[in-house]
Amino acid sequence: MKEQFYDQDFSAETPLVDLKKGEYESCRFHKMDFSGFNFSGYHFTDCEFRDCNLSMVKLGNASLKSARFYHCKLLGLHFHDAEEFLFAVYFENCQLNLASFYQRKMKGTKFLNCSLQECDFSNADLSNASFLQCDLSGAVFDGTNLEKADLSTALHFSIDPEKNKIKDALFSRNNVYGLLHHLRIKIID
């Protein structure tokens, strides 16, 4: 039987060796350095990560059910390796550069003020998602479902409407040029 942890706080003083494989529910992780850690077999339900470094964490068979990340560094994570069942995440003020959400079902996911440079969203379902004040420089959208997604304040994206579903997605006059970038035309104000 896996160990279970409920409504507990973990901080920078918590040695990583003390984080046993198991089920963590309604737990809070604050200022922890998980960089390179292997979360395979860990289950996080309704957990919150604040000011943590999770860069290059291995997510094979990890479960993220309503996991929330605030001011975290999540560079190079392969979210497509995490368990698909009930996968749900929320990101605010996070660095997610080089992360992969390939084929991930993420309806309604919120990205608020995040750096998503060179992320892979290929074949992901991001319908009803929000990318508010997010930098999407070099992010890959190919076969991505962005129907009803809010990109009205997103920056530096390039989305080909012929290769992605964008029906009823929100864009602003300031960023709609990201839908024309693939045409390699020059637009003058």
Side-chain angles (χ1 to χ4, degrees), residues 74-137:
L74 303 116
L75 304 178
L77 264 68
H78 292 187
F79 288 96
H80 61 265
D81 289 339
E83 204 173 275
E84 191 171 341
F85 183 67
L86 296 177
F87 178 85
V89 287
Y90 170 91
F91 302 100
E92 188 173 326
N93 295 306
C94 291
Q95 293 179 29
L96 288 140
N97 301 344
L98 301 167
S100 176
F101 296 94
Y102 176 71
Q103 293 186 332
R104 186 55 49 179
K105 290 182 178 121
M106 302 174 63
K107 293 180 180 182
T109 298
K110 301 225 182 306
F111 297 91
L112 306 177
N113 198 35
C114 292
S115 180
L116 296 158
Q117 296 176 14
E118 299 185 48
C119 282
D120 184 2
F121 294 106
S122 298
N123 299 309
D125 184 351
L126 291 160
S127 53
N128 291 299
S130 296
F131 293 90
L132 303 178
Q133 297 295 324
C134 291
D135 182 354
L136 291 160
S137 301

Side-chain angles (χ1 to χ4, degrees), residues 161-176:
E162 295 176 10
K163 294 182 178 179
N164 299 281
K165 296 178 183 176
I166 62 167
K167 183 179 179 184
D168 294 324
L170 297 175
F171 299 93
S172 70
R173 289 179 200 252
N174 295 334
N175 72 6
V176 75

Side-chain angles (χ1 to χ4, degrees), residues 10-78:
F10 300 91
S11 66
E13 291 77 36
T14 307
L16 291 183
V17 293
D18 289 350
L19 283 180
K20 307 291 185 209
K21 276 189 187 179
E23 297 179 8
Y24 293 80
E25 186 174 341
S26 299
C27 291
R28 291 155 304 281
F29 301 89
H30 187 251
K31 291 190 176 181
M32 296 188 69
D33 186 357
F34 294 105
S35 54
F37 195 75
N38 187 350
F39 274 146
S40 180
Y42 285 73
H43 297 271
F44 299 100
T45 304
D46 293 321
C47 288
E48 180 179 291
F49 295 82
R50 283 194 183 271
D51 301 301
C52 292
N53 182 358
L54 295 110
S55 296
M56 301 306 293
V57 162
K58 292 163 189 61
L59 293 173
N61 297 319
S63 179
L64 299 172
K65 299 174 184 171
S66 296
R68 297 172 311 284
F69 300 89
Y70 302 90
H71 301 276
C72 290
K73 193 174 183 180
L74 303 116
L75 304 178
L77 264 68
H78 292 187

Side-chain angles (χ1 to χ4, degrees), residues 139-155:
V140 176
F141 294 93
D142 187 18
T144 308
N145 184 349
L146 291 162
E147 293 178 340
K148 297 182 181 178
D150 186 349
L151 290 109
S152 61
T153 59
L155 306 166

